[in-house]
Amino acid sequence: MHPAVFLSLPDLRCSLLLLVTWVFTPVTTEITSLDTENIDEILNNADVALVNFYADWCRFSQMLHPIFEEASDVIKEELPNENQVVFARVDCDQHSDIAQRYRISKYPTLKLFRNGMMMKREYRGQRSVKALADYIRQQKSNPIQEIRDLAEITTLDRSKRNIIGYFEQKDSDNYRVFERVANILHDDCAFLSAFGDVSKPERYSGDDIIYKPPGHSAPDMVYLGAMTNFDVTYNWIQDKCVPLVREITFENGEELTEEGLPFLILFHMKEDTESLEIFQNEVARQLISEKGTINFLHADCDKFRHPLLHIQKTPADCPVIAIDSFRHMYVFGDFKDVLIPGKLKQFVFDLHSGKLHREFHHGPDPTDIAPGEQAQDVASSPPESSFQKLAPSEYRYTLLRDRDEL
């Protein structure tokens, strides 16, 4: 029998204090630091990874660190599985190669990855523990709505782009590919699925994927590729979910601006779908080859009165077509001229060649002056870019570079 050990009162108080501290001190999660050696392995094995690209000298990065760590603690407690959600960070000064790989142009940048694939949309929401935790919870939610009765198809929201998968069973390679695509593109399309007996009337020759475009008159489109091929399936669905002509709003303006491409914008009244359809058709006909050099957008005239004012227009003048180069805004002629073959294409080419910029400052190019007519150096002041104001704010990020003048 061991002799009893009696502690003095001060020692007893110290021991009790240590015990209470140990019990009530929260366990903090170590944020995973990524480098060239471990980044691919960690991201490829994570269902969802939120990565903070930062620099120690950036005050906004310093402000985010404790918030990011606390949000990680909250999510780790809810989702303790090691690979369900990973909070990670990259010191961009120490690992500039990684920063260049992911095109980091500001600090701090928060990017989401799914199974190693970086999502197009970075996190731009509120920088609070609750907002970050809610964002991850939303990312972990099922992006696919299951259809229990085919009658539900008749009540779909036809203002959205709907992708519907009909599968014999959920536990299949076909559905796993569909689910992976839905996880990536759920911000751009509504995804639905039906299984077994429910889906049987739509499975004429096996599992099927259908695209239902916005509106009730547009015909459905059927996917004809290999459903187990992720790349082919993803590219087909992405093409349907991300239209050639996108709508710009105040919510996505920062994201679109940061893509770094000038805007070709149709300003139209919301109910004027005819002008939008004409613009979409002419962009597809004349400018499909320019997809990587300029963003094709449409904007609500009422919501974007201020940019219209910049080019001395009002909603009453809509529809109006303009280019915003992020330095200046240039107005296309009469909207009806968009139907003249090559006219819209020339407008875009004149931006790339610098002609629009020269003519605003110095008048028509000599080649555009009629024979015998005297050339004049007509100085003018083109309207400043209006959409540049939607770019990332210097009060929120440390910006690494400015755009070159276009």
Side-chain angles (χ1 to χ4, degrees):
M1 181 176 181
H2 298 287
V5 177
F6 295 95
L7 296 176
S8 63
L9 187 58
D11 288 339
L12 182 61
R13 287 174 175 168
C14 183
S15 298
L16 288 172
L17 180 60
L18 288 172
L19 178 62
V20 170
T21 302
W22 176 77
V23 171
F24 289 100
T25 299
V27 178
T28 58
T29 303
E30 182 69 26
I31 302 297
T32 303
S33 293
L34 302 179
D35 55 39
T36 52
E37 300 295 325
N38 67 7
I39 185 167
D40 290 325
E41 180 183 357
I42 289 175
L43 295 183
N44 288 341
N45 290 321
D47 294 343
V48 171
L50 186 63
V51 181
N52 175 15
F53 293 86
Y54 73 96
D56 278 331
W57 51 262
C58 165
R59 67 185 182 94
F60 301 111
S61 295
Q62 295 166 6
M63 293 164 61
L64 181 61
H65 281 322
I67 296 170
F68 194 71
E69 290 170 357
E70 190 175 343
S72 175
D73 292 340
V74 170
I75 292 299
K76 202 66 179 176
E77 189 173 328
E78 294 180 18
L79 303 169
N81 185 298
E82 184 179 359
N83 292 328
Q84 277 189 297
V85 177
V86 170
F87 277 71
R89 62 187 173 193
V90 175
D91 184 335
C92 293
D93 280 344
Q94 296 294 321
H95 303 288
S96 59
D97 55 332
I98 297 178
Q100 291 173 6
R101 174 180 173 182
Y102 293 111
R103 301 179 182 178
I104 304 303
S105 60
K106 63 189 185 307
Y107 302 137
T109 293
L110 295 177
K111 288 186 175 288
L112 188 80
F113 293 77
R114 289 184 180 276
N115 304 116
M117 177 182 280
M118 186 179 74
M119 299 298 97
K120 182 179 67 175
R121 290 188 174 89
E122 67 183 64
Y123 177 79
R124 300 174 187 271
Q126 187 180 358
R127 293 172 185 175
S128 69
V129 173
K130 182 180 184 304
L132 286 172
D134 285 345
Y135 174 70
I136 293 299
R137 292 185 191 106
Q138 189 270 332
Q139 294 300 320
K140 287 297 295 178
S141 62
N142 190 345
I144 304 173
Q145 176 188 335
E146 184 171 345
I147 298 169
R148 306 290 182 180
D149 187 324
L150 290 183
E152 295 175 28
I153 302 297
T154 61
T155 62
L156 286 180
D157 182 352
R158 293 308 298 266
S159 66
K160 296 180 179 179
R161 297 169 181 270
N162 293 284
I163 302 287
I164 308 174
Y166 298 103
F167 303 94
E168 184 177 359
Q169 55 186 10
K170 183 177 290 188
D171 184 16
S172 65
D173 290 339
N174 285 352
Y175 181 70
R176 277 186 281 273
V177 168
F178 183 76
E179 189 175 35
R180 186 179 170 196
V181 173
N183 274 317
I184 297 169
L185 295 174
H186 65 87
D187 287 336
D188 301 296
C189 269
F191 285 83
L192 305 96
S193 62
F195 304 96
D197 291 339
V198 175
S199 66
K200 190 173 182 179
E202 296 291 337
R203 289 187 286 108
Y204 304 107
S205 57
D207 292 352
D208 216 353
I209 297 176
I210 303 293
Y211 167 60
K212 287 185 174 292
H216 292 276
S217 58
D220 295 349
M221 300 180 70
V222 181
Y223 175 60
L224 300 176
M227 297 185 69
T228 54
N229 187 316
F230 170 78
D231 290 333
V232 174
T233 306
Y234 174 80
N235 289 334
W236 186 85
I237 294 179
Q238 183 191 44
D239 181 63
K240 305 301 175 285
C241 291
V242 183
L244 182 61
V245 178
R246 294 177 284 176
E247 181 178 11
I248 185 169
T249 65
F250 291 113
E251 288 73 28
N252 69 3
E254 180 181 300
E255 173 190 328
L256 291 172
T257 301
E258 202 172 18
E259 289 182 10
L261 299 176
F263 294 167
L264 175 68
I265 313 172
L266 167 69
F267 295 92
H268 68 108
M269 301 304 291
K270 188 174 182 178
E271 62 275 10
D272 179 13
T273 57
E274 181 181 355
S275 296
L276 175 58
E277 186 174 351
I278 291 172
F279 181 70
Q280 290 171 327
N281 291 338
E282 291 307 314
V283 165
R285 184 177 292 115
Q286 300 185 38
L287 294 169
I288 190 67
S289 62
E290 297 300 306
K291 186 177 180 181
T293 68
I294 192 166
N295 271 330
F296 309 116
L297 307 170
H298 67 101
D300 186 329
C301 285
D302 278 329
K303 291 181 179 178
F304 286 94
R305 287 171 177 263
H306 187 68
L308 282 173
L309 188 62
H310 261 58
I311 55 177
Q312 300 180 343
K313 302 288 184 181
T314 70
D317 298 309
C318 289
V320 172
I321 297 174
I323 284 176
D324 192 314
S325 73
F326 299 137
R327 292 292 183 181
H328 302 299
M329 293 186 73
Y330 309 99
V331 185
F332 184 69
D334 192 310
F335 174 77
K336 295 176 183 177
D337 290 347
V338 76
L339 294 171
I340 299 175
K343 188 80 171 180
L344 191 62
K345 186 173 187 176
Q346 189 61 52
F347 184 51
V348 172
F349 281 5
D350 287 347
L351 168 75
H352 295 324
S353 69
K355 182 179 179 181
L356 292 179
H357 186 77
R358 290 193 304 272
E359 289 189 342
F360 258 117
H361 285 291
H362 305 296
D365 277 357
T367 54
D368 293 337
I369 297 172
E373 187 178 338
Q374 184 69 33
Q376 295 181 348
D377 189 15
V378 182
S380 66
S381 180
E384 290 184 355
S385 166
S386 184
F387 288 91
Q388 175 67 13
K389 296 178 177 65
L390 298 179
S393 168
E394 294 183 6
Y395 296 102
R396 185 174 165 84
Y397 300 99
T398 299
L399 305 178
L400 300 185
R401 62 178 180 269
D402 295 323
R403 293 184 175 87
D404 295 328
E405 180 166 349
L406 293 173

